[in-house]
């Protein structure tokens, strides 16, 4: 039995799988929890040593399984969120917790680096990146200002899965999508340049070489083999961005294919022949060479629904759940309601890039019920996705196929609302293992266990199709217009809430 390993360094857990390349099935899956650390409002950090411990523990478990089942493991791929920031000292130890991509502490640093629109435009022209909270230079500048002792000790800068690759192989490498989204790479030259590095007071020698996702960077070290009891001679690839490889595995392969991920946050990815020029969305390289994957990320989706349920649960002895509320609204005559919600409960990333934005419930009357609010919450996420689609279409990209994945896609009523808003069929992916599966596939392709990218679609043989209901066309057209107007009317007020003295 010939297999590969996929490891996902996720926000809430580290996941490991074994992929059998003969029958194209995931034959083993295990995970370990991770903790998101937020010491101050807007901060998002994680402990790299926890990722390391989790990965070694997972590989030990996989090693035992491989011995019992007599599995031959040829390669390993690591995936994770980006662009998380890890800084190492001369002994190659993390100097501090990672600063995650969702961290929003660098507002002052961004204004200092990009004081004028000209500076922003110049930066975007070179990097194909917009000016946003994810950029690495403002984070390094924040460390230089607030943690000068740590800054002086920096020897290596890298991302989450790059760090785990180093732990496994002893080799420093940066995957090309981390390099792209970091804002430190000249897009045309495909390398880190002094001009961009100086924005964060960085040195060129801090930066490892940039590699394509499936490039083999080395073998798992003897020390790790001894610890985990894994087979010898396992090749390790440069790795991949979790959202990009997840979309690839979901079937977003042809230009115009779109994936909507209904997770704790909301992600949208589209396959494109060209890099995206509009800075309201992020740019990434597609897994397939020659294609690109413009994408967006909404700060809240499922996490906002969980907050609402927890809030309602406090006022009743009855058990409230997503399924119960879904069931209640399906008993109504229609899915319409007149109240509307802006889902900016953690500020918002794309496409408005506004850390001051606030969750807003508007249009309430005494006639509204909990069912009305639940419909409005579900709609709000769909409207936020549609805002991204508006941006995509404004850039003359033709949207052809819509896919949906992750936990929220299991809600039939939520998917019906999304399809009704799109007025397009929506394919719900069944049995999608996500980014760890994609990392294992790329690792297999790197050692010629797969010969073509199209073979990834063998894993997506089953979709549930949701068709739009035409009777909702005018309702959503009008309501979406109101949704967009609300933010434009209130965005100047949101920063004032931060000044309220509690």
């Amino acid at each position: 039995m010939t297999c590969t390993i996929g490891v996902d360094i996720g926000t809430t857990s580290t996941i490991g799988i074994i992929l059998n390349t003969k029958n194209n099935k995931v034959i083993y899956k295990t995970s370990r929890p991770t903790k998101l650390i937020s010491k101050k409002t807007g901060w998002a950090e994680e402990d790299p040593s926890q990722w390391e411990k989790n990965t070694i523990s997972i590989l030990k478990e996989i090693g035992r399984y491989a011995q019992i089942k007599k599995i031959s493991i040829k390669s390993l791929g690591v995936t994770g969120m980006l662009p998380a920031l890890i800084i190492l000292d001369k002994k190659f130890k993390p100097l501090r917790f990672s600063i995650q991509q969702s961290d929003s502490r660098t507002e002052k640093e961004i204004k200092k680096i990009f004081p004028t629109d000209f500076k922003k435009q110049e930066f975007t022209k070179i990097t194909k990146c917009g000016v946003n909270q994810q950029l690495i230079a403002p984070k390094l500048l924040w460390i230089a200002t607030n943690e000068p002792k740590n800054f002086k000790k920096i020897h290596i800068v890298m991302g989450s899965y790059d760090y785990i690759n180093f732990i496994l192989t002893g080799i420093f490498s940066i995957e090309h999508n981390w390099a792209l989204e970091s804002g430190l790479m000249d897009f045309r030259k495909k390398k880190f340049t002094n001009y961009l590095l100086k924005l964060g007071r960085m040195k060129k020698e801090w930066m490892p070489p940039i590699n394509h996702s499936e490039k083999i960077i080395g073998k798992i070290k003897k020390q790790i083999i001894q610890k985990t009891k894994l087979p010898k001679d396992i090749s390790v690839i440069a790795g991949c961005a979790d959202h990009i490889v997840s979309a690839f595995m979901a079937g977003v392969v042809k230009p115009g294919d779109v994936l909507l991920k209904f997770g704790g946050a909301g992600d949208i990815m589209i396959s494109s022949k060209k890099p995206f020029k509009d800075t309201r969305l992020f740019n990434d390289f597609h897994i397939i060479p020659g294609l690109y994957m413009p994408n967006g990320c909404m700060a809240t989706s499922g996490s906002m629904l969980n907050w609402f349920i927890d809030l309602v649960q406090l006022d009743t002895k009855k058990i409230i759940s997503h399924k119960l509320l879904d069931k209640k609204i399906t008993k109504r005559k229609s899915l319409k309601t007149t109240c509307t919600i802006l889902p900016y409960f953690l500020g918002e990333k794309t496409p408005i890039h506004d850390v001051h934005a606030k969750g807003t419930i508007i249009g309430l009357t005494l006639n509204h019920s909990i069912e009305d609010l639940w419909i409005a919450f579900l709609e709000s996420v769909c409207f936020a996705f549609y805002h991204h689609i508006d941006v995509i279409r404004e850039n003359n990209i033709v949207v052809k196929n819509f896919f949906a994945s992750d936990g929220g896609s299991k809600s039939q009523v939520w998917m019906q609302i999304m399809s009704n808003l799109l007025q397009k069929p929506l394919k719900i992916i069944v049995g999608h293992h996500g980014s760890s599966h994609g990392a294992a596939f790329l690792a297999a392709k790197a050692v010629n266990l797969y010969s073509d990218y199209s073979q990834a679609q063998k894993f997506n043989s089953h979709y549930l199709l949701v068709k739009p209901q035409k009777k909702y066309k005018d309702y959503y057209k009008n309501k979406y217009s109101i949704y967009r107007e609300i933010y434009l009317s209130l965005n100047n007020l949101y920063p004032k809430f931060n000044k309220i003295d509690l």
Side-chain angles (χ1 to χ4, degrees), residues 344-361:
Y344 307 145
F345 285 70
L346 287 175
E348 188 55 295
K349 297 176 74 175
T350 58
I352 63 173
H353 296 287
D354 187 349
V355 297
H356 300 297
K358 300 288 185 289
T360 305
I361 304 173

Side-chain angles (χ1 to χ4, degrees), residues 340-345 358-361 380 483 486-487 490 494:
T340 305
I341 294 171
L342 296 187
Y344 307 145
F345 285 70
K358 300 288 185 289
T360 305
I361 304 173
S380 71
Y483 168 87
I486 294 169
Y487 174 72
L490 298 178
Y494 290 135

Side-chain angles (χ1 to χ4, degrees), residues 34-168:
T34 55
K35 185 179 180 181
L36 183 68
I37 302 161
S38 184
K39 296 177 182 177
K40 294 184 180 180
T41 301
W43 287 25
E45 301 179 339
E46 294 209 4
D47 184 355
S49 66
Q50 188 175 50
W51 302 336
E52 179 182 350
K53 290 174 184 176
N54 284 353
T55 301
I56 298 302
S57 176
I58 284 169
L59 293 181
K60 282 181 179 180
E61 187 176 331
I62 286 175
R64 289 193 296 269
Y65 184 85
Q67 284 184 329
I68 294 169
K69 298 295 183 179
K70 297 181 180 180
I71 293 172
S72 173
I73 297 175
K74 296 297 184 183
S75 57
L76 178 148
V78 185
T79 180
M81 56 281 186
L82 85 159
L85 170 65
I86 317 297
I87 53 174
L88 307 182
D89 62 17
K90 287 185 178 180
K91 295 182 179 180
F92 310 136
K93 299 294 183 184
L95 284 162
R96 68 178 323 283
F97 290 158
S98 69
I99 301 181
Q100 296 298 101
Q101 68 282 0
S102 55
D103 190 282
S104 60
R105 75 184 70 187
T106 58
E107 185 177 9
K108 290 180 181 178
E109 288 72 25
I110 288 174
K111 289 180 179 178
K112 187 173 183 179
I113 295 172
F114 306 105
T116 65
D117 288 339
F118 176 78
K119 269 280 189 182
K120 293 178 181 179
Q121 291 165 6
E122 183 183 39
F123 171 79
T124 297
K125 186 177 180 181
I126 296 170
T127 63
K128 296 292 187 289
C129 283
V131 174
N132 57 68
Q133 296 285 349
Q134 291 196 162
L135 298 177
I136 294 298
K139 292 174 182 176
L140 265 299
L141 192 59
W142 184 92
I143 293 173
T145 303
N146 296 277
E147 300 175 359
K149 289 183 180 180
N150 281 336
F151 189 82
K152 288 179 181 179
K153 295 178 183 178
I154 295 176
H155 190 65
I156 295 289
V157 171
M158 54 177 25
S160 60
Y161 46 101
D162 303 315
Y163 174 70
I164 294 302
N165 279 341
F166 165 70
I167 295 298
L168 297 179

Side-chain angles (χ1 to χ4, degrees), residues 483-502:
Y483 168 87
R484 291 291 300 274
E485 286 184 40
I486 294 169
Y487 174 72
L488 294 175
S489 300
L490 298 178
N491 66 325
N492 289 329
L493 287 176
Y494 290 135
K496 295 182 180 180
F497 284 93
N498 300 333
K499 299 177 181 179
I500 296 174
D501 187 18
L502 297 178

Side-chain angles (χ1 to χ4, degrees), residues 113-114 122-124 126-127 137 183-187 191-202:
I113 295 172
F114 306 105
E122 183 183 39
F123 171 79
T124 297
I126 296 170
T127 63
L184 302 173
M185 184 186 79
D186 184 303
F187 185 84
K191 65 179 183 180
F192 301 118
T193 61
N194 287 325
Y195 169 74
L196 294 170
L197 292 171
K198 284 179 181 178
L199 297 178
R201 300 183 191 173
M202 301 168 67

